[in-house]
């Protein structure tokens, strides 16, 4: 559970409900004398985690402040994905400008992806130690510098250097917003907000080729990077003036117990709240939905009394998390689901720029509208569906929510994913009419890439929320190493074997990892039991 009870109280609840409470399992109803803060309104959902009664607690912020923060965070995520994968329609321009081959030009994307993944070993420790706000501001300044460098680069090596710098700066796009969502939103809302995150991030990768293709055809590729520079500047201003610090220390029950034993003032509050008589939520937390950021939360960074310890832990924990089966499931499913979209990005110029299509860079870029439309369908359906499935099964389970309940929502999107891979690979190979490939195949790719990563990553966060940032580092490293490798060999593989073998191999691996969701639906609680005593739940 998300730090709501100490060991003694957990045993009491387990005895009353006759169920084992493990990390990730949440009690969404009152039990005996344990009365929890609720959301209010008709649903009366139990709030997980339970907010403090501090007006500055991000969980207590008003809807206005939460929306301002998530808007600034989402635009940062969008802009950090916008640059690295905008290059596909401009490959022909780079081949001409830098006198290189298509395989060489594709490496601009591949290298940026690889560096981006590993850069989070820098950003997540900073985020954990000093807060989300300094990470967003510093990383966007780096992206701004790399964008100016790209616009002015005159050689292949110079442009590659700008790609490496962009990869370093863009790392937070893949790790920080999920932590922000866990900071400011309650468990029952996370499905839709995590789906929004994946749509924003993947949407940036879809919109960028549309814009870059059109601009390179009419205004030249360098002007695209000047546009990117201006948008990054806007994002920096949004972070400065719209994004207060969301990181908030929530006292673990064990920590509170130690302080209570030593007689620290105020340390008994976390225990007193557990045994209150039935009371209105407004009486127990008067600042719920009425809070606001403090002046300190607008500072450049949050002080940390033990920064070195925090940084060392954050460097180690992503590797430790790879020993947990649930994290491995999330890493593999997210990696290959995103790779299904990356396949389109890396092959669209190769397929549509050649006979019988012979499309311009602008026309190739416009195909990404279909992927974006699919992502919007995924946004509208996946988050609400996974939250509804979890809520329905929680009600059937006497108010006990298990994170595995969310996995059932994967079923329709896995079918859509595999169907889309078949349409694209066979359509490319047989040179079908573009309408079938783009309108059906590309739309399916957009639906699945908005839905599958959001559902499975939310499952992992629900199971290991205290280390959400490090969890996404583990996922991102796995995803980007595969993405880099795929970018290295897919162009030559297509040339030697056609489109079907590489695309369907990737799609079949995605299906295989998703099918492991059946095992986790039935045995996920066993896997969580293996790590129930791990210190990752106390961080």
């Amino acid at each position: 559970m998300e730090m709501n009870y100490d060991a003694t109280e957990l045993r009491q609840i387990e005895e009353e409900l006759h169920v084992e409470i493990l990390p990730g399992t949440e009690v969404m109803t009152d039990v005996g004398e344990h009365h929890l803060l609720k959301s209010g309104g008709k649903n009366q959902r139990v709030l997980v985690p339970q907010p403090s009664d501090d007006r500055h607690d991000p969980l207590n912020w008003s809807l206005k402040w939460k929306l301002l923060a998530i808007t600034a965070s989402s635009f940062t995520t969008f802009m950090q994905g916008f640059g690295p994968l905008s290059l596909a329609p401009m490959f022909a321009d780079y081949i001409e400008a830098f006198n290189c081959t298509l395989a060489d030009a594709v490496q601009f994307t591949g290298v940026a992806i690889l560096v981006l993944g590993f850069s989070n070993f820098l950003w997540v420790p900073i985020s954990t130690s000093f807060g989300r706000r300094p990470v967003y501001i510093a990383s966007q300044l780096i992206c701004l510098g790399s964008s100016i460098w790209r616009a002015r680069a005159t050689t292949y090596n110079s442009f590659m250097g700008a790609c490496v710098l962009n990869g370093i700066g863009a790392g937070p796009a893949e790790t920080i917003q999920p932590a922000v969502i866990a900071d400011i939103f309650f468990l029952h809302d996370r499905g839709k907000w995590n789906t929004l995150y994946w749509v924003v991030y993947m949407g940036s990768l879809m919109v960028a080729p549309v814009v870059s293709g059109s601009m390179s055809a009419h205004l030249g590729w360098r002007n695209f990077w000047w546009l990117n520079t201006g948008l990054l500047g806007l994002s920096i201003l949004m972070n400065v003036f719209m994004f207060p610090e969301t990181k908030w220390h929530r006292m673990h029950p064990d920590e509170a117990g130690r302080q209570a034993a030593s007689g620290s003032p105020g340390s008994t509050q976390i225990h007193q709240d557990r045994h209150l008589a039935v009371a209105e939520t407004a009486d127990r937390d008067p600042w719920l939905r009425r809070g606001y950021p403090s002046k300190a939360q607008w500072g450049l960074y949050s002080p940390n009394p033990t920064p070195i310890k925090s940084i060392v832990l954050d460097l180690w924990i992503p590797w430790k998390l790879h020993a947990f089966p649930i994290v491995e499931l999330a890493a593999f499913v997210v990696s290959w689901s995103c790779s299904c979209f990356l396949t389109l990005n890396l092959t669209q110029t190769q397929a549509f720029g050649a006979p019988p299509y012979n499309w311009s860079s602008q026309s190739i870029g416009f195909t990404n509208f279909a992927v974006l439309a699919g992502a919007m369908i995924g946004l509208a359906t996946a988050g609400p569906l996974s939250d509804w499935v979890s809520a329905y099964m929680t009600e059937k389970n006497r108010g006990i929510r298990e994170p595995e309940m969310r996995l059932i929502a994967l079923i329709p999107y896995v079918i859509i994913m595999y169907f889309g891979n078949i349409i694209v690979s066979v359509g490319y190979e047989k040179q079908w009419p573009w309408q079938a490939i783009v309108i059906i195949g590309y739309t399916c790719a957009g639906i699945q890439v908005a839905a599958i990563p959001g559902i499975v990553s939310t499952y992992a966060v629900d199971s290991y929320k205290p280390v959400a940032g490090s969890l996404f580092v583990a996922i991102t490293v796995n995803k980007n190493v595969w993405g880099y490798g795929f970018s290295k060999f897919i162009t030559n593989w297509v040339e030697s074997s056609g489109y079907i073998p590489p695309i369907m191999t990737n799609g079949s691996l995605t299906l295989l990892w998703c099918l492991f969701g059946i095992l986790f639906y039935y045995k996920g609680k066993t896997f969580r039991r293996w790590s129930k005593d791990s210190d990752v739940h106390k961080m």
Side-chain angles (χ1 to χ4, degrees):
M1 299 184 70
E2 294 202 26
M3 300 184 292
N4 286 339
Y5 300 104
D6 60 23
T8 302
E9 290 167 328
L10 282 178
R11 300 294 82 77
Q12 291 174 356
I13 294 174
E14 287 178 330
E15 290 172 4
E16 292 189 49
L17 294 175
H18 306 290
V19 67
E20 184 181 16
I21 308 294
L22 296 172
T25 301
E26 298 295 346
V27 179
M28 307 297 288
T29 186
D30 291 337
V31 181
E33 65 179 1
H34 302 273
H35 298 284
L36 303 172
L37 292 175
K38 298 180 178 67
S39 59
K42 292 186 296 183
N43 291 325
Q44 286 291 304
R45 295 187 181 95
V46 168
L47 299 178
V48 178
Q50 293 276 279
S52 68
D53 60 0
D54 191 315
R55 72 188 72 183
H56 304 309
D57 183 342
L59 289 175
N60 283 333
W61 286 355
S62 66
L63 181 61
K64 178 190 79 170
W65 284 111
K66 289 187 177 185
L67 289 179
L68 284 172
I70 204 66
T71 298
S73 176
S74 296
F75 191 62
T76 300
T77 297
F78 183 89
M79 286 311 305
Q80 291 186 348
F82 191 75
L85 262 75
S86 64
L87 284 73
M90 301 186 286
F91 282 155
D93 297 298
Y94 296 134
I95 290 170
E96 180 181 353
F98 303 131
N99 192 28
C100 63
T101 66
L102 175 60
D104 292 333
V106 167
Q107 285 312 292
F108 290 142
T109 298
V111 169
I113 289 173
L114 182 66
V115 174
L116 191 154
F118 283 93
S119 72
N120 282 298
F121 283 103
L122 167 69
W123 296 120
V124 169
I126 295 175
S127 170
T128 303
S129 298
F130 303 108
R132 328 300 187 202
R133 185 170 156 86
V135 167
Y136 272 161
I137 294 173
S139 63
Q140 285 295 74
L141 288 171
I142 292 174
C143 288
L144 183 75
S146 72
S147 186
I148 295 171
W149 187 355
R150 289 213 213 211
R152 299 178 63 86
T154 57
T155 66
Y156 180 90
N157 289 336
S158 178
F159 196 85
M160 182 63 81
C163 293
V164 171
L165 186 64
N166 194 183
I168 294 171
E174 299 200 328
T175 55
I176 304 302
Q177 188 167 347
V180 171
I181 290 169
D183 289 340
I184 66 177
F185 293 110
F186 296 104
L187 176 66
H188 64 268
D189 276 334
R190 284 186 200 155
K192 66 184 179 185
W193 290 109
N194 275 321
T195 301
L196 172 67
Y197 157 67
W198 283 106
V199 169
V200 167
Y201 183 47
M202 290 298 158
S204 71
L205 313 184
M206 301 163 195
V207 172
V210 173
V211 177
S212 66
S214 181
M215 289 194 68
S216 65
H218 296 286
L219 300 172
W221 62 269
R222 294 184 188 277
N223 281 310
F224 168 77
W225 293 109
W226 289 120
L227 170 68
N228 187 62
T229 301
L231 292 174
L232 286 167
L234 173 62
S235 175
I236 293 170
L237 292 176
M238 290 175 68
N239 283 318
V240 171
F241 296 108
M242 291 172 57
F243 186 82
E245 184 54 60
T246 64
K247 185 176 181 294
W248 185 267
H249 176 65
R250 301 196 183 281
M251 192 177 296
H252 192 278
D254 292 346
E255 182 184 352
R258 289 192 298 269
Q259 290 190 14
S262 65
S264 298
S267 61
T268 58
Q269 182 66 40
I270 193 170
H271 295 286
Q272 291 172 353
D273 286 347
R274 306 292 170 243
H275 304 287
L276 289 172
V278 179
E280 291 295 327
T281 293
D283 295 332
R284 295 173 57 187
D285 183 6
W287 293 104
L288 184 63
R289 294 187 295 276
R290 297 176 56 235
Y292 52 88
S294 66
K295 183 177 180 181
Q297 286 169 308
W298 290 103
L300 188 59
Y301 69 95
S302 300
N304 184 345
T306 58
I308 302 301
K309 179 182 177 181
S310 298
I311 290 171
V312 170
L313 280 174
D314 280 319
L315 290 173
W316 160 240
I317 287 173
W319 302 108
K320 179 178 181 176
L321 289 175
H322 276 296
F324 298 169
I326 291 172
V327 177
E328 283 300 281
L329 174 73
F332 275 74
V333 172
V334 170
S335 298
W336 269 263
S337 174
C338 293
S339 187
C340 290
F341 166 70
L342 179 63
T343 300
L344 305 187
N345 187 274
L346 297 177
T347 58
Q348 57 188 200
T349 294
Q350 197 170 3
F352 290 122
Y357 307 105
N358 296 316
W359 286 3
S360 66
S361 59
Q362 175 177 279
S363 298
I364 293 170
F366 284 166
T367 63
N368 290 276
F369 277 125
V371 190
L372 183 61
M376 293 300 105
I377 296 172
L379 172 63
T381 59
L385 176 63
S386 68
D387 284 338
W388 178 83
V389 167
S390 294
Y392 176 79
M393 297 189 70
T394 298
E395 184 179 348
K396 293 295 185 183
N397 198 36
R398 299 175 300 141
I400 306 300
R401 174 173 291 190
E402 305 287 1
E404 288 76 24
M405 294 172 176
R406 198 179 293 276
L407 294 176
I408 292 178
L410 285 172
I411 294 172
Y413 302 107
V414 173
I415 296 171
I416 289 170
M417 176 278 299
Y418 204 67
F419 177 71
N421 274 277
I422 293 172
I423 294 296
V424 170
S425 61
V426 177
Y428 278 171
E429 189 70 27
K430 304 298 182 181
Q431 297 180 342
W432 284 357
W434 69 266
Q435 292 90 339
I437 301 171
V438 175
I439 296 176
I440 300 176
Y442 278 34
T443 300
C444 286
I447 293 171
Q448 69 85 25
V449 83
I452 293 176
I455 293 170
V456 76
S457 63
T458 301
Y459 168 49
V461 170
D462 287 350
S463 301
Y464 299 103
K465 189 268 176 184
V467 288
S470 296
L471 188 154
F472 272 87
V473 175
I475 292 174
T476 298
V477 168
N478 196 80
K479 174 174 71 70
N480 289 22
V481 168
W482 169 251
Y484 172 72
F486 204 49
S487 73
K488 287 287 286 186
F489 59 69
I490 188 171
T491 302
N492 295 330
W493 193 355
V494 167
E495 290 174 352
S496 63
S497 304
Y499 290 98
I500 294 177
I503 294 176
M504 287 312 301
T505 297
N506 188 73
S508 297
L509 286 170
T510 310
L511 176 63
L512 174 63
W513 311 138
C514 289
L515 289 175
F516 274 97
I518 300 172
L519 172 65
F520 280 78
Y521 179 77
Y522 290 103
K523 295 296 182 182
K525 191 163 186 176
T526 299
F527 298 143
R528 286 187 286 122
R529 187 179 298 115
W530 293 351
S531 61
K532 69 177 182 177
D533 296 323
S534 174
D535 56 5
V536 301
H537 296 296
K538 301 177 182 180
M539 302 188 71

